[in-house]
Amino acid sequence: MSEKQSVCIIGSGNWGSAIAKIVGANAAQNDLFEERVTMYVYEEIIDGRKLTEIINETHENVKYLPGHTLPANVVAVPDVVEAAKHADILIFVVPHQFIRRICSTLLGKIKPGAVGLSLIKGFDKKEGGGIELISHIIARELHIPMSVLMGANLASEVADGMFCETTIGCKDKAKAPILRDLIQTSYFRVVVVEDVDSVECCGALKNIVACGAGFVDGLGLGDNTKAAVIRLGLMEMIKFVHVFFPGGKINTFFESCGVADLITTCYGGRNRKVSEAFVKTGKTIEELEKEMLNGQKLQGPFTAEEVNYMLKSQSMEDTFPLFTAIHRICIGQLKPTDLIDCIRCHPEHM
């Protein structure tokens, strides 16, 4: 590998900006990588100025990661094709609802031999009742090999340089150390595993469980009840992967992408916070998303709906009662208090 690897980050929300801090610093210090890192930024006007101009002049994403300085070698670009065209490594970190549109825009416009790394936590619906992993969609649409990064990584804490771990799922033994070197720092430790689908499923499914944890907080039911939701949620996560994406290793669920991310998200994170407010205020998820998230998207209820779409098509809603109850609460078919009946009567307790 004589040529330096060029990197593009596709997305610039709070997680995209936090990862840009790490990737920019590593690219500037490591001879494996081109120093200049492009970051695709969806153009917005903030106080009369373009967000890309603000980022490139002040090195701060004032909307999604205020108060943090991005490395000067991270360059905000408002055109995704322009941002990505020279990249050997494409890091995808946009809300999963937008990925098909971005892929269709990039098709035929990226460098031959490019590889992708997805940080996107979610699924997408397939027509006919199934769901699909985001990395599978990107790989198929852009004809590139995909790896994934998932972990107990609250963006604000990563941006603050607090110690945490993450998991990269990568099947390519030659590419794995390159991706690790691009991401790893003294405070952001990377473990690489080959079990890509399980890593990605964990990243999506834990957001559903976090909604359940938020409902418990909203009801004031305490940490014992929340622990039951987390445990039963983990059991349903393992079962879901076993049924729909078989061949994974149980050990993957004990990496950062699994139990650690689940715990973090059920005690911090936006899904828990908005779900607590959902119970306390009686407002809809959509209203709270607008009020509380500063333009960010809430993934938990959306993922719960996609998972339910799959479970319904397979007549398996009763096999995953926690996932099903959380979805029904999100859409108003059940009351938040009904979650306790679901926990009490869970098959794990029978």
Side-chain angles (χ1 to χ4, degrees), residues 231-249:
R231 187 188 77 82
L232 294 169
L234 179 61
M235 300 304 286
E236 290 198 9
M237 287 167 61
I238 293 169
K239 188 193 293 184
F240 186 91
V241 175
H242 178 69
V243 171
F244 295 112
F245 298 94
K249 297 180 174 65

Side-chain angles (χ1 to χ4, degrees), residues 152-174:
N153 308 143
L154 293 178
S156 59
E157 294 183 14
V158 173
D160 283 335
M162 297 180 185
F163 181 86
C164 66
E165 303 171 313
T166 200
T167 311
I168 290 179
C170 178
K171 290 191 176 83
D172 185 336
K173 285 187 166 61

Side-chain angles (χ1 to χ4, degrees), residues 139-332:
R140 186 185 67 244
E141 299 285 326
L142 294 180
H143 317 296
I144 60 173
M146 288 296 300
S147 300
V148 301
L149 180 150
M150 306 282 154
N153 308 143
L154 293 178
S156 59
E157 294 183 14
V158 173
D160 283 335
M162 297 180 185
F163 181 86
C164 66
E165 303 171 313
T166 200
T167 311
I168 290 179
C170 178
K171 290 191 176 83
D172 185 336
K173 285 187 166 61
K175 282 286 184 290
I178 297 167
L179 295 176
R180 186 195 61 222
D181 287 352
L182 181 62
I183 300 292
Q184 183 158 269
T185 72
S186 60
Y187 65 87
F188 195 66
R189 306 305 289 172
V190 175
V191 174
V192 182
V193 300
E194 292 183 22
D195 188 5
V196 182
D197 286 357
S198 298
V199 172
E200 188 168 2
C201 283
C202 284
L205 295 170
K206 55 93 191 185
N207 282 331
I208 304 176
V209 186
C211 291
F215 298 152
V216 169
D217 287 341
L219 293 165
L221 293 173
D223 285 339
N224 293 342
T225 308
K226 198 196 290 201
V229 168
I230 292 170
R231 187 188 77 82
L232 294 169
L234 179 61
M235 300 304 286
E236 290 198 9
M237 287 167 61
I238 293 169
K239 188 193 293 184
F240 186 91
V241 175
H242 178 69
V243 171
F244 295 112
F245 298 94
K249 297 180 174 65
I250 192 70
N251 288 358
T252 304
F253 293 92
F254 298 97
E255 295 292 350
S256 182
C257 62
V259 68
D261 196 9
L262 179 62
I263 292 167
T264 293
T265 312
C266 287
Y267 278 90
R270 66 185 81 145
N271 290 285
R272 187 217 63 79
K273 189 163 63 174
V274 173
S275 298
E276 179 182 15
F278 174 77
V279 176
K280 287 183 169 175
T281 65
K283 294 178 179 176
T284 65
I285 295 285
E286 292 77 13
E287 287 172 323
L288 292 166
E289 186 180 62
K290 285 195 183 78
E291 281 178 27
M292 298 174 68
L293 296 185
N294 189 31
Q296 297 281 318
K297 289 290 176 191
L298 195 67
Q299 300 297 341
F302 202 74
T303 304
E305 184 202 341
E306 290 165 333
V307 165
N308 188 257
Y309 177 76
M310 187 158 186
L311 297 179
K312 208 171 200 168
S313 72
Q314 306 281 331
S315 301
M316 292 185 76
E317 286 177 295
D318 291 346
T319 312
F320 295 88
L322 186 67
F323 288 172
T324 301
I326 289 168
H327 167 64
R328 288 180 176 164
I329 292 166
C330 285
I331 63 171

